[in-house]
Amino acid sequence: MVSSADADDSGTRILHVDMDAFYAAVEVLDDPSLRGLPLIIGSPDGRSVVSSASYEARRYGVRSAMPVSQALRLCPGARVVPPHFSRYQEVSRQVMAIFESFTPLVEPLSVDEAFLDVQGVRRLWGSPARIAGLIRERVQAEVGITCSVGVASTKHVAKMASTIAKPDGMLVIAAADTLDFLAPRSVRALWGVGPKAAESLEARGIRTIRDIRETPQETLDRAVGPALSARLVQLARGEDARAVDTERVEKSIGHEETFDQDIADREFLRAELLRLSDRVGARLRRAGWETSTVSIKIRFADFRTVNRSQTLTEPTAVSQRIGEAAQGLFELIDRRDPIRLVGVRAEKLRPAGGGALALWDEDEDWRKVEGAVDEAIARFGTATISRARHIGRGEGRGAARHPKDHGVD
DNA sequence: TCTGGGGTCCTGCCTCGT
DNA sequence: TCTGACGAGGCAGGACCC
């Protein structure tokens, strides 16, 4: 589906750009002999699931997150290609650079999609619909793969539009058309409605977004809980005040691994926890973070999953201490059955070295300082206000930072 | 049939301090 | 000194997203 560049885009400012079957497209880019074939990106053996599938494979019912074995039963002629994540990252950087050449307000959601706010660059590039067209052309010409774009007044509607536009399409929803666009669509199309929430809503006769608008709040609360129901009502009304956020920070870092076969050997499992802790610690140190909460995840052969977490007496980025905590948590689990997955995660991150600081400059507006303090407290539970000798450009608005980074007085 | 790995967010329960 | 109410925070589980 392709809206024209002169489609009515009045009241729009948000673009959602989504690469089409991204992993499969990159594999075709690197090996043109794969073009036109049904492709499944995933490990051919073990317990892998489909990470991505070409549109040729999707025609057979192959979907992401489906076990590869099941996908091969649906599409026996498919080629299974192991994923090359570092290569996807590399192509992703190329694509994001194109987005950023149009507007600095780019919020990557994952390797293959991003929100763009183009309100401020209309005089430079033209209307949002025209910018969407230009982006599609440049991604195709410079990277060699296709993308789909949704253009709308809010993030949520832009994302819905890009989904409908797929593959290799573009859909523009003028602000005045938002409610009509939303009304007949399934509740499943709303952000945050997965299989469980959809089942609960449909059991109450709530099937479309129009139904959500017409259902009393108490009924929705009972169906999906107060937090989600409040969000759904807003989205169903076309209200979504979320701005394009260019500075999202990760809140946890973890690694997990599913074994080819279930494992009961405790020593082996303890060693695996140490190995995963080592990877987590290395990532923390690279990012300059410490963790104050370590959690482990254990999934048994029957798929029952348990989590155990512990708040540390001292925050750390030392792999050995994370590993000791992980092993200690593992010993708290009484069940001794074979295990299919173990994971280690570092939560409640803060800058390494201990100081959660809200920095401010001589000439900065005090309201900005207040914002920085709020943010530091929200993230780290504490904030120290310090005057910085120098804060470089582009290092983050009101971000909490460690004194060593800035030469604080 | 057989369910990855990386995350975020919400809910409910429990404990602890005031 | 004891007791109950209440809020904050830790912890566990689960839904959801890509």
Side-chain angles (χ1 to χ4, degrees):
Chain A
M1 176 182 291
V2 183
S3 299
S4 67
D6 58 357
D8 176 13
D9 62 359
S10 49
T12 67
R13 65 183 293 166
I14 308 291
L15 271 54
H16 179 257
V17 189
D18 202 342
M19 310 309 296
D20 300 319
F22 182 57
Y23 295 177
V26 174
E27 296 299 337
V28 171
L29 197 62
D30 292 347
D31 180 359
S33 72
L34 298 174
R35 187 174 299 282
L37 298 179
L39 291 182
I40 291 171
I41 312 303
S43 174
D45 39 39
R47 293 158 146 172
S48 174
V49 298
V50 176
S51 291
S52 174
S54 66
Y55 283 92
E56 289 82 2
R58 293 181 195 203
R59 277 201 275 277
Y60 290 84
V62 174
R63 295 287 178 268
S64 293
M66 174 183 281
V68 170
S69 54
Q70 187 184 348
L72 281 172
R73 275 195 299 278
L74 290 168
C75 183
R79 282 275 289 277
V80 181
V81 180
H84 301 97
F85 292 110
S86 58
R87 173 69 178 138
Y88 307 149
Q89 292 280 2
E90 190 182 319
V91 177
S92 176
R93 280 193 289 272
Q94 275 181 275
V95 173
M96 297 293 168
I98 293 176
F99 300 164
E100 282 165 2
S101 72
F102 284 91
T103 170
L105 297 181
V106 176
E107 176 184 342
L109 287 182
S110 63
V111 283
D112 71 332
E113 59 178 315
F115 285 116
L116 283 67
D117 185 333
V118 297
Q119 177 74 5
V121 296
R122 302 166 66 123
R123 288 176 64 188
L124 193 59
W125 296 107
S127 71
R130 181 175 144 71
I131 295 171
L134 290 172
I135 286 175
R136 279 175 18 87
E137 283 172 19
R138 278 192 54 191
V139 169
Q140 168 79 71
E142 295 173 26
V143 186
I145 57 180
T146 64
C147 62
S148 300
V149 187
V151 182
S153 54
T154 67
K155 283 177 155 184
H156 179 249
V157 176
K159 184 158 170 56
M160 281 179 73
S162 73
T163 304
I164 293 164
K166 278 185 165 299
D168 195 14
M170 162 171 138
L171 180 58
V172 181
I173 307 296
D177 297 334
T178 297
L179 290 182
D180 288 341
F181 167 75
L182 291 171
R185 305 196 179 277
S186 163
V187 292
R188 192 66 184 76
L190 288 170
W191 181 274
V193 178
K196 297 285 177 185
E199 187 187 349
S200 180
L201 290 165
E202 284 162 11
R204 292 165 171 82
I206 305 163
R207 293 190 170 76
T208 66
I209 296 177
R210 180 188 291 111
D211 293 339
I212 298 234
R213 288 209 289 263
E214 294 172 351
T215 300
Q217 185 77 55
E218 311 84 76
T219 308
L220 293 172
D221 287 352
R222 278 196 298 275
V224 296
L228 181 56
S229 87
R231 233 173 30 224
L232 295 186
V233 167
Q234 287 198 316
L235 295 179
R237 290 176 181 154
E239 297 164 5
D240 179 8
R242 294 172 301 162
V244 169
D245 180 0
T246 58
E247 294 178 27
R248 295 208 301 180
V249 189
E250 53 197 350
K251 294 178 175 170
S252 69
I253 289 174
H255 285 289
E256 59 187 60
E257 182 168 353
T258 297
F259 306 121
D260 286 345
Q261 290 174 338
D262 303 331
I263 308 258
D265 180 342
R266 305 284 292 180
E267 277 315 300
F268 178 87
L269 293 165
R270 288 170 57 85
E272 278 299 292
L273 287 168
L274 275 189
R275 192 177 62 79
L276 293 168
S277 300
D278 196 40
R279 292 176 64 190
V280 170
R283 276 183 63 193
L284 284 173
R285 293 191 295 276
R286 268 201 304 277
W289 295 109
E290 289 177 338
T291 176
S292 56
T293 299
V294 172
S295 73
I296 65 165
K297 173 169 158 182
I298 302 293
R299 177 168 287 155
F300 292 97
D302 63 3
F303 226 70
R304 195 170 144 62
T305 307
V306 296
N307 299 282
R308 292 291 179 272
S309 65
Q310 183 190 6
T311 298
L312 306 174
T313 49
E314 286 285 323
T316 188
V318 177
S319 297
Q320 188 182 344
R321 287 173 60 191
I322 297 168
E324 285 165 1
Q327 289 186 329
L329 289 165
F330 184 53
E331 294 308 319
L332 296 177
I333 299 172
D334 293 332
R335 192 174 164 187
R336 292 292 192 263
D337 296 327
I339 284 167
R340 67 176 289 141
L341 170 151
V342 296
V344 176
R345 179 166 294 277
E347 298 168 355
K348 299 212 170 67
L349 308 183
R350 49 173 257 176
L357 288 172
L359 292 178
W360 61 295
D361 223 337
E362 291 283 355
D363 54 351
E364 240 182 326
D365 186 325
W366 177 247
R367 283 168 300 182
K368 283 193 197 167
V369 179
E370 285 183 313
V373 171
D374 288 347
E375 193 173 324
I377 288 174
R379 292 213 51 215
F380 308 113
T382 174
T384 305
I385 302 174
S386 293
R387 178 178 301 139
R389 275 199 296 271
H390 169 70
I391 298 179
R393 283 180 59 80
E395 290 186 292
R397 295 177 307 221
R401 305 218 167 257
H402 187 265
K404 281 185 296 192
D405 298 338
H406 298 287
V408 172
D409 282 333

